[in-house]
Amino acid sequence: MEAAIICEASGEDCNEIMHMINELAKYEKMDSCVEIDAGRLRADLENGKFHCLVYKNGTDGKIIMGFAIFVFTYDMKSGKKMYLEDLFVKEKYRKQGIGSKLWSALTVKCKENSCSFLEFSVLNWNKNAIEFYCNRGCQNYTQSKNKQVYRFVTGNS
């Protein structure tokens, strides 16, 4: 594979990222749950509501092969933390180390921003994702911290 770059996404990347979000939602059997479009994604990115790293091909830097969407938030016990919303690699580019490279870039960004930890959730049935994260030293806090996650839906999507 030709050299590639990992960089912060720009507004110009949002159409392709939105396409991949829809691909991920379909894989997760949640495609009817996607309520945003590329315009909303772009506005939110440009207004700093989230961050996104993209993995682009080295030929012309125009093909996005994967992404990682994350936000910085706060933990009352340990301070600033990073929350990973999604890490996704297009199916045809999987098994080439792209997910690992995006993960490494995320952990570097987490440390550079003085975060105490990086947190995320994984669907119970997604054994590939569970194995990916466990192989990188991640711990399942659902079991060890005896926590459950709840959501209040405002209807403002």
Side-chain angles (χ1 to χ4, degrees):
M1 180 175 14
E2 193 147 340
I5 59 168
I6 296 176
C7 60
E8 292 275 346
S10 70
E12 294 174 4
D13 298 323
C14 287
N15 284 337
E16 184 60 26
I17 294 168
M18 192 68 228
H19 177 74
M20 290 189 290
I21 288 171
N22 287 322
E23 190 178 330
L24 174 60
K26 185 176 182 181
Y27 171 76
E28 292 179 335
K29 300 167 185 63
M30 302 173 106
D31 41 328
S32 64
C33 297
V34 178
E35 298 177 358
I36 63 168
D37 59 19
R40 167 79 180 273
L41 188 71
R42 182 180 189 140
D44 287 348
L45 176 68
E46 290 175 346
N47 288 315
K49 302 224 173 152
F50 70 93
H51 302 271
C52 182
L53 294 178
V54 288
Y55 188 99
K56 294 183 176 186
N57 72 327
T59 311
D60 60 9
K62 292 184 180 177
I63 298 173
I64 299 173
M65 301 168 160
F67 71 83
I69 291 178
F70 61 97
V71 295
F72 294 107
T73 185
Y74 199 79
D75 180 78
M76 64 180 237
K77 296 180 196 97
S78 56
K80 188 176 181 183
K81 68 178 181 177
M82 179 187 279
Y83 184 83
L84 172 63
E85 177 60 32
D86 282 308
L87 188 155
F88 180 75
V89 176
K90 288 181 184 177
E91 188 172 357
K92 67 181 176 180
Y93 300 118
R94 292 183 191 152
K95 305 293 182 194
Q96 298 178 37
I98 294 170
S100 294
K101 290 174 183 167
L102 278 167
W103 176 258
S104 292
L106 273 173
T107 60
V108 166
K109 188 148 297 269
C110 186
K111 292 173 186 174
E112 287 175 349
N113 283 275
S114 302
C115 295
S116 52
F117 57 89
L118 167 56
E119 193 167 63
F120 53 92
S121 61
V122 178
L123 294 170
N124 290 334
W125 57 263
N126 194 341
K127 303 299 180 205
N128 289 336
I130 292 167
E131 183 179 342
F132 176 88
Y133 294 117
C134 287
N135 285 341
R136 282 149 187 84
C138 299
Q139 301 169 7
N140 183 344
Y141 271 45
T142 307
Q143 297 165 348
S144 66
K145 296 294 183 186
N146 212 16
K147 284 186 170 183
Q148 296 183 25
V149 177
Y150 291 85
R151 177 180 290 176
F152 171 75
V153 179
T154 65
N156 291 336
S157 48

